């Protein structure tokens, strides 16, 4: 496990198309992350810091898989890494260089965004429709377009008829995707009701792709701010430890940490105003 995580960036070579795409197993990666969290708790402080950073990096790599599910699973794994770091940062024996290494590593971390999820969903839809129309993404994989056509009129139909059907599928998918994005703009207190209404509309649609949209809707509308907030909290905690090493005590105010961040937004998250 550790050798695989420590290798660096992964190339997942996601298989797109056929109305399906490879999905990382939430249970497998979640279990792996928790095993590494436990391992970090048993390691010397400096090694524990490295393990925590590797868990966060593993989450980023899973997100690079490109699928919407990959974004969600990757975020969950990185969340475990942040929690591990929060514990390890408070252990005795760490030096200034250790804290600086954490700040440098986390400065390159980028949380998944709604735009990432939407882009992945669009890619899945277009790739699936193209392959179902007989335009193979991989020439070595046989395609049976009729398998995806409606039971009634399009089985055995020539490609133009199938293309019209698939174009309508893409149009419906994009329409519901835009509605899902608008649901994200609804205040959190009313978002669940808006999502439920959208789910009913999707359920009533004859579109095959849109039926699948009901499954990804909850993830696409997920609020990623807790993950981003945890990242900022770990950065601020790390900087506070640097101040403690220099002054002998933790800072009394958040503004004392500004010198450690090129991005002012890091400390603004924790400002009263």
């Amino acid at each position: 496990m550790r050798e695989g995580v420590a290798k660096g960036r992964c190339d997942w070579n996601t298989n797109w198309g056929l109305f399906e795409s490879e999905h990382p197993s939430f249970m497998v990666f979640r279990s792996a992350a928790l095993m590494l969290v436990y391992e970090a708790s048993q390691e010397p402080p400096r090694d524990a810091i490295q393990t925590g950073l590797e868990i966060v990096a593993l989450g980023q790599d899973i997100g690079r898989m490109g699928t919407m599910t990959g974004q969600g699973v990757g975020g969950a794994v990185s969340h475990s890494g942040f929690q591990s770091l929060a514990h390890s940062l408070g252990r005795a024996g760490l030096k200034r260089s250790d804290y600086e290494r954490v700040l440098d590593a986390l400065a390159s971390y980028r949380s998944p965004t709604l735009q990432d999820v939407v882009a992945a969903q669009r890619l899945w839809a277009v790739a699936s429709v193209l392959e179902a129309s007989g335009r193979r993404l991989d020439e070595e994989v046989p395609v049976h377009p009729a398998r995806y056509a409606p039971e009634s009129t399009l089985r055995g139909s020539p490609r133009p008829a199938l293309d019209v059907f698939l174009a309508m599928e893409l149009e419906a998918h994009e329409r519901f995707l835009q509605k899902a994005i608008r649901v994200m703009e609804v205040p959190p207190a009313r978002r669940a009701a808006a999502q439920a209404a959208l789910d009913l509309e999707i359920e009533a649609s004859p579109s095959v792709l849109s039926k699948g949209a009901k499954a990804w809707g909850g993830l696409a509308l997920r609020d990623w701010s807790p993950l981003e907030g945890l990242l900022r909290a770990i950065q601020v905690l790390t900087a506070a430890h640097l101040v403690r090493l220099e002054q002998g005590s933790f800072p009394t105010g958040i503004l004392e940490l500004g010198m450690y961040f090129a991005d002012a937004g890091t400390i603004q998250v924790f400002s009263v105003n």
Side-chain angles (χ1 to χ4, degrees):
M1 167 62 72
R2 288 299 303 278
E3 291 180 0
V5 173
K7 284 183 178 179
R9 180 169 175 165
C10 299
D11 293 320
W12 295 99
N13 296 320
T14 303
N15 180 29
W16 297 94
L18 293 176
F19 291 111
E20 299 174 357
S21 56
E22 296 171 342
H23 300 299
S25 169
F26 175 78
M27 293 303 297
V28 168
F29 280 110
R30 177 67 168 165
S31 297
L34 292 177
M35 289 172 62
L36 288 171
V37 169
Y38 174 76
E39 184 173 327
S41 71
Q42 305 301 305
E43 292 177 322
R46 298 190 71 185
D47 294 338
I49 290 291
Q50 177 62 30
T51 299
L53 291 174
E54 288 176 358
I55 300 171
V56 173
L58 175 61
Q60 279 197 291
D61 274 332
I62 297 170
R64 290 191 186 103
M65 194 172 193
T67 63
M68 179 193 62
T69 305
Q71 297 285 355
V73 174
V77 169
S78 289
H79 189 279
S80 296
F82 290 139
Q83 291 179 314
S84 177
L85 285 171
H87 176 268
S88 299
L89 287 168
R91 297 173 62 183
L94 294 173
K95 300 179 180 179
R96 179 181 181 85
S97 58
D98 298 317
Y99 295 115
E100 290 175 339
R101 181 159 58 95
V102 172
L103 286 180
D104 289 342
L106 295 185
S108 63
Y109 180 83
R110 180 176 174 270
S111 298
T113 66
L114 179 63
Q115 289 72 29
D116 295 328
V117 176
V118 168
Q121 185 63 20
R122 282 200 179 105
L123 177 59
W124 168 80
V126 172
S128 295
V129 164
L130 286 176
E131 193 153 358
S133 71
R135 298 166 177 84
R136 288 182 284 180
L137 302 178
D138 186 344
E139 292 296 329
E140 297 180 0
V141 178
V143 177
H144 306 286
R147 192 174 87 186
Y148 302 102
E151 292 291 336
S152 56
T153 59
L154 288 181
R155 283 197 180 276
S157 297
R159 174 173 287 180
L162 183 59
D163 284 351
V164 170
F165 163 71
L166 293 174
M168 293 171 62
E169 284 287 301
L170 270 183
E171 182 181 354
H173 178 272
E174 181 63 26
R175 184 171 65 253
F176 282 119
L177 186 58
Q178 290 299 323
K179 289 187 177 183
I181 294 172
R182 287 196 291 273
V183 169
M184 188 64 185
E185 300 172 353
V186 174
R190 295 190 285 110
R191 194 174 299 161
Q195 177 64 51
L198 178 58
D199 286 346
L200 288 176
E201 187 178 351
I202 292 173
E203 186 64 30
S205 169
S207 169
V208 177
L209 283 177
S210 298
K211 297 286 188 183
K214 186 176 180 181
W216 58 256
L219 180 60
L221 299 177
R222 176 177 171 180
D223 186 359
W224 296 102
S225 59
L227 186 64
E228 183 71 19
L230 186 54
L231 164 65
R232 299 300 192 186
I234 298 302
Q235 290 175 309
V236 168
L237 178 61
T238 305
H241 277 289
L242 283 170
V243 172
R244 174 182 59 80
L245 288 180
E246 294 176 356
Q247 301 180 171
S249 62
F250 283 104
T252 58
I254 196 70
L255 295 180
E256 296 179 49
L257 307 178
M259 62 180 293
Y260 294 105
F261 301 108
D263 177 13
T266 299
I267 60 173
Q268 288 175 357
V269 172
F270 298 91
S271 299
V272 175
N273 297 325

